[in-house]
Amino acid sequence: MATRKEKREAEKNTNFFLEFIRIKNHFFKDLNEWLRGVKDPRHQSYITYLPDVILYVMILKNIMELISMRETTDKLNKDECIKNIEKMLGIEGLEELPHYDTMNDFLSELDPSELEKIRVYMIKELLKKRCFEDFRILGKYWGVIFDATGLYTFKERHCEHCLKREYVNKGTGEVTTVYMHQVLEAKLVIGDMVFSIGTEFIENEGEEVSKQRL
Ligand SMILES: [Zn+2]
């Protein structure tokens, strides 16, 4: 087992862009087509960037562990990176990467099922290539776990679907209310890795609901 320090050192020397390209070319040859095929929710006359460019930048954001959208635009909007994205997507004439407002607008309007389709494609490719066969339980079954994960917490209710939880400070008796959004995920267990295969938002149906659905 590698220590955390060794892991950090190894990560420092890893070119995540190249690793991603390598994995994509090996396992997910049609990923570009899938990204291109995402149904664009925006008004078609104002579009500068197609969904594949925006989603590609988002993938890079995640594999490079960039935290904010602003940081993503700052770090990636460089000639070399833009050239690489053009080459990977087989497109021309990309002068700049989309502004983070453009990406946020696109993502907020996008139907999540459009991304779920891509996830299904990716999991199917991995299963088809029999990458996981050694991890079948009793040589037969797949291990799937269900897990509720918190996505966001808020100090104030931000929409009618927020889940609400109250915490009482035992010393002072003070009550703190936290509002949150959670998802229930089905995950395929492969050794010490898990692959998300299904996601449902856990929501209250409205303000009047007394019992939370969990
Ligand atoms: Zn909410």
Side-chain angles (χ1 to χ4, degrees):
M1 277 293 270
T3 65
R4 278 193 188 170
K5 192 168 178 235
E6 281 165 355
K7 205 169 156 245
R8 270 202 307 276
E9 286 299 313
E11 279 175 2
K12 221 191 283 170
N13 297 321
T14 306
N15 183 328
F16 287 103
F17 190 83
L18 286 182
E19 285 299 308
F20 168 64
I21 302 304
R22 208 173 53 81
I23 292 167
K24 175 180 161 301
N25 289 344
H26 186 75
F27 293 104
F28 311 115
K29 285 200 173 66
D30 299 326
L31 185 64
N32 289 359
E33 282 69 39
W34 279 91
L35 297 177
R36 209 162 290 149
V38 163
K39 204 161 144 219
D40 197 330
R42 298 166 298 171
H43 196 293
Q44 295 301 301
S45 50
Y46 304 121
I47 288 172
T48 315
Y49 297 100
L50 292 173
D52 54 349
V53 175
I54 298 177
L55 292 171
Y56 219 86
V57 174
M58 291 310 299
I59 293 171
L60 293 179
K61 169 187 184 281
N62 288 326
I63 58 177
M64 294 166 88
E65 295 186 328
L66 301 171
I67 308 293
S68 71
M69 295 293 258
R70 190 184 297 245
E71 190 188 5
T72 305
T73 327
D74 289 349
K75 280 251 167 73
L76 298 180
N77 207 5
K78 300 194 173 107
D79 284 344
E80 191 196 347
C81 185
I82 294 170
K83 284 254 155 55
N84 280 333
I85 291 176
E86 274 190 323
K87 217 197 266 169
M88 284 320 303
L89 287 173
I91 55 170
E92 277 176 7
L94 190 64
E95 282 176 10
E96 297 234 27
L97 294 186
H99 188 271
Y100 52 81
D101 282 340
T102 308
M103 296 196 282
N104 277 332
D105 288 347
F106 172 80
L107 292 171
S108 62
E109 286 177 49
L110 182 68
D111 181 348
S113 68
E114 289 295 310
L115 298 181
E116 279 166 12
K117 280 189 232 165
I118 300 180
R119 175 168 65 185
V120 170
Y121 153 71
M122 295 175 88
I123 296 286
K124 277 189 175 167
E125 284 303 301
L126 294 171
L127 292 174
K128 233 191 320 190
K129 292 196 166 64
R130 304 180 71 81
C131 312
F132 299 153
E133 289 304 305
D134 292 348
F135 296 98
R136 281 184 191 259
I137 298 164
L138 303 173
K140 235 166 137 183
Y141 306 106
W142 296 113
V144 174
I145 55 165
F146 292 88
D147 183 24
T149 313
L151 284 185
Y152 303 107
T153 57
F154 312 93
K155 289 208 178 92
E156 280 158 27
R157 177 180 289 281
H158 104 292
C159 77
E160 59 177 12
H161 302 296
C162 279
L163 299 174
K164 181 174 150 187
R165 194 163 286 170
E166 286 177 345
Y167 297 96
V168 183
N169 182 319
K170 287 213 178 96
T172 62
E174 199 186 331
V175 181
T176 322
T177 308
V178 176
Y179 295 92
M180 59 199 151
H181 279 204
Q182 291 193 323
V183 289
L184 182 66
E185 291 228 294
K187 290 169 175 160
L188 181 64
V189 183
I190 302 294
D192 56 5
M193 292 186 289
V194 288
F195 292 81
S196 167
I197 52 174
T199 309
E200 279 292 331
F201 278 91
I202 306 170
E203 294 182 343
N204 276 332
E205 274 153 358
E207 294 270 5
E208 300 311 312
V209 179
S210 58
K211 239 189 192 171
Q212 295 188 0
R213 294 194 306 156
L214 261 175

